[in-house]
């Protein structure tokens, strides 16, 4: 059950209204990496989550993002104010001015309707937490860019508040992922094919010349357990395509993992025995 | 410049055509976490990337995903074959049968048109790599679920091949992120507000009772440098809302970082001096 | 600021899981007339509302709808449960099963992503209240249809609870509209053209025969102050197209009305003098 | 069967072309509350309507809206004319200029493609008429705003003509709803739960303080038969959640009502005996 | 101005209602190649057309397609009828059953909302006519496929009527294109680069082997004035990339051509002197 | 299998960056008629194509369009460069500036996400080739308009290169269609109804006056085998609606034709005996 408190989590102050900046701010109201997207992604993951602790985490942060939606909405409304009686201001966002009466709507800075296609919800906790870490990183960089495009002190401070919270959330989701104690690249219950999983495929080359340093001596094809494989078109052998049967139950799982999907899956699911603590996500 | 080689990266074999499974497989052709989404996300990030090594990485993997699109397309076409002359099979996906003639199209398993709203492209390398790590995790779990819903050996093996490659890519993107040598939560060029960034806000409670263990003793609110803050509605003090001015140039950056966005940003951008190697993303 | 209470507003019980019914129920989770649509329409109207009382009303109901989203989400999850390990159940909604792991997502019964195109937010209170009355009527009829397609007692009772609330909200929005004390068809600040506004145009006829009773003796063209006008193609005179200049400030307004939009509008806005109480919306 | 007459319903005249105003006008051509939306909503409701009189009404107005689409299209084309040979004008709407050659297209003022997600069609006449009343109110306010953003007399007069027709249609739909002679809040065939239907839930408060006048003495929670209920989080008892079984056939219906949906619905549907005339919609 | 005649252009008869076939038929109501798409594409092209004759053609056919929308809507409604009181039938299209009450809506067979993204409207007559020829070909093949998936004689005959009209329209659009008397590949006012325009680029090969017959002896790379060019990756010289300045006014135009777009375009537009009659589109 | 060569097909040079022109250019990157749309339409048609020669053609051109996507992306990036540190430039496309960091994304000039609804893929070769001919004509006219809106020589030359290739492709697709040697209006396997197929319906008139020259003496209703039929509302007889049963196998087919769709279709499919060479598409 939800409750709304008539007190803003952060009180917004704007010196000079700037309708074109108000238009830009809509990115964080109804945009792809905005507050509604965050609120819905985490809250609905929370509805689906089977682990009580992580469910609480997801709904805590999902609910806080609703409070942020209210803050950024208030900030935008102040900047859009001149649209009500100034044609030039209205041109900054004709959709908002004409159809929306100068108020906020669930659209982004170019008037695209908000869509749940923005959300990443798989119902697998270890996967969803990675999606959330990335989502917070995106929201952080967007707030930073907005800060750089205004000179209004009150707006900058409000955005700094919101931007900071994204880093807090990024840390919380990372802590939750680490608390699952799964090996770094363990996803689901079927292990990838040995050998093939170590092959880095060089699909972009300088024609037939594959000798450049960046092509053969990067951390992602040299070290990290990955090996460079050249494509057939450049005279290489290509990837190892030996057929390999999937083996459910071979991946290391955690007690917090979501129950896997599929009638044939995990029949012989072993007891989760993580060999070591998670080091990197 | 692109070239197509008339040889599949992996040769697909199907024992028995299963139109409803073919319909499900469309998730990985024209779906949110499918091969076109991966191909486009990485390739276009690569077009935008300013670091030559990471540009190569992004286009290598983006191009490989195009080859995967071809593979999964071939697999789907075999499973959809009966739609051409069987009404019951056509009911498995009327859009594909009637409008598409039983061939593949860029839609998902419920016929939604593919949209670039699925993509996460911010133009900031350290952020985009995190989005890619999450994207690969999602693709892996989707392939695993598809494996579990078929008994056809050839289909399972093809999906195991594709699933394995996602883990390879996840490792490569992680290696690239680590190669940037940035601290774990360093995004962009403005540091978050000290103090506030450590406050975990308890926005979901058992009414006014905030004493439950999961509310006050989880890794994300206890340890990890985060502290629990209760909401005003439950008698807490709420977050620290002291105004704080953003300071561009205070975040630790890497030589591989994308150039920041904004006229006021990074004017006093310091030389990147990562104090230590990246430990976790 | 929002808060989540770990107690459902209504506790859901399901006797037998029915995945195809769970799929149908998604209409009220992520569908056009569902709970998120209601929550967002009212809450964002509330953010924009300038009258404190009506702002409270809009946010009260918008917040309650978020609690309903949680209820209907719980109901759906119970019905979708078999999707996790049964291929036939997964066929009831391949998107939910494969991409969503059998959990709820912000999609409707045919997997369309939720979009804010569903919302009607104009920033004019008297208009928005009418949109809300209609929205509640739609939600009521959809719940009624869902009730009729299940035999599960617990599901029926939960839907009856949710359906009832829509009628409560419809009454509250109607009371708010009546409290504005505007004449029945007074919208905004410019009166319609006299004469022309009374002409009902007969654009659909039985060929040139316009003599049928329903064409000339219906409440909407006979009585109610409306008069029937025949089209030129059937030998009529057509509508009165005498040019008429718009006159801002001629419509009767209320103290609760939103401030009007436009630089030339309302310059001579008269004091609101409603001649009589609102009779019908 | 449709016929097009080579005579505009209203002849448009424009003094000075204003491309940015032309861009704004697209809201009423291909926008959410525009003429195509109206034409399609009413016409398709008309195709579905079982009552001959109301079917005629819906198609009369739906067809008139097609004629309005033609008028507003002509108005827009005149304003967009400079886009053909002036770069600055083209910047007013690059999509229209580059992709559309300066002509009209089914997009709104920010280039969003028209979508049937804008439409509200439930197949229940009493519900659809409410949706239409609200739609006309929205279209009226949008025309009024457009009038206020231009100084061109011919454009203003054309918009006044179109705006006036929306009020006419609003009156006609209201007359039709009243002609059904249903009680004010009677929707479908299942009555809401007694008691619960009278409870107004106070989901937004000033923290635990629920004593403010607007919280306890508004027309929607005091009078109108509605009573105020406080939330559990603020110390209230919450809504009455006693299970209640839905009873099809208990709502008062009209002879014009659409046939209800659902296999279990309306088995004991009583003869419609409206006790009194409809007072308010 | 439009008028609706209460007489169907073709009277539909259905023997046995088949809800899943009704669902399939939605492709031609609210689908990408359906009747509304055709009606809107041609009508709006007609609104934009500057040549009176072709304007009449476009609106003639656009209007006829509206009449077809009504026919196919009636056909679908008959097939969907069982959805009203049968759960199994409702499963054939839950969106239509639950949200739409078993009536028609502007969606396709998988419930995607109709969108103007389906339309091809460029404002250039010679281009638009080609888009229309292709659109009619698509509509024809879709009707043919629908015919093949039903055994109901009345449905087949109605679809044969509608299918036939697409061929009529295809012929009319082709006649209009030929009446422009432009050379076969003359589009707009700027000629393509000589030499380069004749080069067919072999971007898909059997690795480095470019000797296969289909690679070097097809009508599109041998004859027709086109010559085969091999890619650099396969040892070829690649396309001729010598810079070439565009020359507006060098393409052969017709008196029926739309006025070109762009401030720098066509300054020296020559008198149209088609050297010969159009042979192929 | 795809390969990327680190060499642009055409090297782009830009004199002066012009962010608003960069914004316009997005039409050809992520717009409806842009390079990704072309690449995907042809490549996926190629995946579905059963004729080896035409499959090669479709993938040749589809792959070349991917190379064009890279070229136009590079051109756009140069023009967008000022967005990174100039607020006025950022206003040219706030979505690209704020969310995309000034890089390219799969959106059009007004920020609409790319969608596969732009694509026309029916799985019928003779139909798809017509869609491709029209698509190339559209892309040509869009490039021409872009050329006319810039004065930068390097940009003009790059666009001239890309524009030229569209004409080459249009010729290649036309050659392929002609190589099928089907009669001009032969689509699929069911012939249209004789008689009815020759009737041109006059659905738009000057009221009841159908005597104007353009109404009765145009190439599409006079000659070309088509005859003019007047509508009932103007006193005509209307179309011939005599029921006619569809006859699969009566249309002339080609050895290159795709296999037809439908269980009842083509049972008596005759050997393809094209009576004469294709004259027009």
């Amino acid at each position: 059950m939800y409750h709304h408190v008539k007190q803003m989590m952060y009180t917004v102050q704007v010196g000079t209204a700037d309708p074109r900046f108000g238009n830009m701010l809509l990115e964080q109201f109804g945009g792809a990496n905005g507050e509604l997207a965050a609120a819905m992604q985490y809250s609905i993951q929370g509805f689906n989550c089977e682990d009580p602790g992580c469910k609480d985490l997801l709904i805590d942060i999902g609910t806080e993002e609703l409070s942020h939606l209210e803050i950024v909405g208030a900030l935008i409304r102040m900047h859009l104010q001149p649209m009500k009686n100034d044609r030039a201001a209205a041109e900054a966002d004709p959709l908002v001015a004409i159809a929306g009466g100068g108020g906020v709507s669930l659209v982004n800075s170019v008037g695209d309707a908000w869509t749940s296609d923005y959300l990443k919800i798989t119902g697998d906790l270890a996967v969803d937490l990675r999606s959330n870490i990335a989502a917070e990183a995106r929201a952080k960089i967007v707030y930073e860019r907005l800060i750089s495009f205004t000179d209004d002190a009150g707006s900058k401070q409000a955005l700094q508040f919101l931007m900071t919270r994204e880093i807090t959330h990024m840390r919380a989701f990372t802590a939750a992922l680490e608390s699952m104690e799964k090996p770094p690249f363990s996803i689901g219950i079927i292990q990838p094919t040995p050998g093939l999983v170590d092959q880095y495929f060089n699909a972009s080359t300088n024609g037939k010349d594959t000798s450049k340093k960046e092509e053969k001596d990067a951390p992602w094809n040299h070290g990290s357990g990955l090996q460079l494989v050249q494509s057939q078109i450049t005279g290489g052998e290509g990837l190892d395509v030996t057929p390999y049967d999937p083996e459910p139950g071979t991946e290391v799982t955690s007690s917090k993992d979501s129950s896997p999907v599929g009638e044939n899956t995990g029949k012989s699911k072993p007891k989760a025995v993580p060999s070591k603590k998670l080091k990197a996500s």
Side-chain angles (χ1 to χ4, degrees), chain A:
Chain A
M1 182 163 46
Y2 287 86
H3 195 75
H4 177 263
V5 185
K6 290 180 179 176
Q7 178 187 349
M8 299 281 274
M9 181 177 272
Y10 179 96
T11 303
V12 176
Q13 287 182 318
V14 167
T16 307
D18 178 350
R20 286 198 181 270
F21 187 63
N23 164 263
M24 287 177 175
L25 285 166
L26 282 166
E27 281 301 317
Q28 289 306 85
F29 191 80
N33 302 308
E35 297 295 351
L36 183 67
M40 287 298 120
Q41 180 160 311
Y42 311 149
S43 298
I44 291 169
Q45 287 173 358
F47 291 176
N48 288 328
C49 186
E50 298 164 359
D51 177 73
C54 288
K55 187 186 198 81
D56 182 48
L57 164 72
L58 290 162
I59 294 185
D60 273 341
I61 301 185
T63 305
E64 184 180 338
E65 304 286 18
L66 280 176
S67 301
H68 293 184
L69 185 73
E70 194 181 19
I71 296 169
V72 79
L75 181 62
I76 295 170
R77 274 179 54 75
M78 292 180 194
H79 280 296
L80 296 182
Q81 188 66 29
M83 280 193 180
K84 292 229 175 195
N85 42 35
D86 179 41
R87 162 74 190 264
E91 289 175 6
D93 197 330
L95 178 70
V96 162
I98 304 300
V104 287
S105 282
L106 284 174
V107 294
N108 68 2
S109 65
V110 291
D112 298 326
W114 191 90
T115 163
S116 65
D117 283 330
Y118 296 150
L119 308 186
K120 302 297 180 188
I121 300 170
T122 66
D124 183 284
L125 180 61
V127 173
D128 284 355
L129 288 171
R130 282 175 174 86
S131 293
N132 297 357
I133 291 165
E136 295 291 351
R138 291 192 299 268
K140 199 278 180 184
I141 202 77
V142 172
Y143 273 124
E144 180 174 304
R145 289 168 181 171
L146 287 166
I147 287 171
S148 79
F149 279 123
T150 184
D151 289 323
D152 182 70
S155 300
K156 276 180 180 290
Q157 289 162 0
L159 295 169
Q160 171 79 16
F161 174 82
L162 294 164
M163 184 193 79
T164 295
R165 301 305 298 155
E166 311 300 11
I167 296 296
T168 306
H169 299 165
M170 194 180 172
R171 287 167 57 187
F173 289 131
T174 301
L177 181 58
E178 287 176 349
S179 78
M180 294 183 77
E181 301 191 337
K182 298 180 68 171
F185 304 106
S186 175
I187 304 286
I189 60 169
I190 308 179
Q191 278 197 346
T193 308
L196 175 64
V197 76
D198 298 327
Q199 297 186 319
Y200 180 88
F201 187 71
N202 194 7
S204 171
T205 60
N206 191 12
K208 276 167 268 182
D209 176 10
T210 59
S211 63
K212 286 184 72 175
K213 185 173 185 310
E214 78 201 30
E215 301 283 13
K216 63 176 190 183
D217 196 23
W220 42 88
N221 60 38
H222 178 92
S224 316
L226 294 165
Q227 311 149 5
L228 188 60
V229 171
Q230 301 295 346
S231 174
Q232 290 87 332
I233 186 100
T234 52
E237 294 201 357
L239 294 171
D240 176 3
V241 295
T242 314
Y244 187 89
D245 291 313
E247 298 179 49
T250 46
E251 196 53 274
V252 178
T253 56
S254 155
S255 60
K256 293 184 181 173
D257 261 315
S258 310
S259 58
V261 170
E263 61 185 332
N264 305 311
T265 308
K267 279 176 177 163
S268 56
K269 190 179 169 186
K271 192 151 170 278
V273 190
S275 54
K276 49 182 175 170
K277 290 199 58 144
L278 179 70
K279 288 286 172 39
S281 67

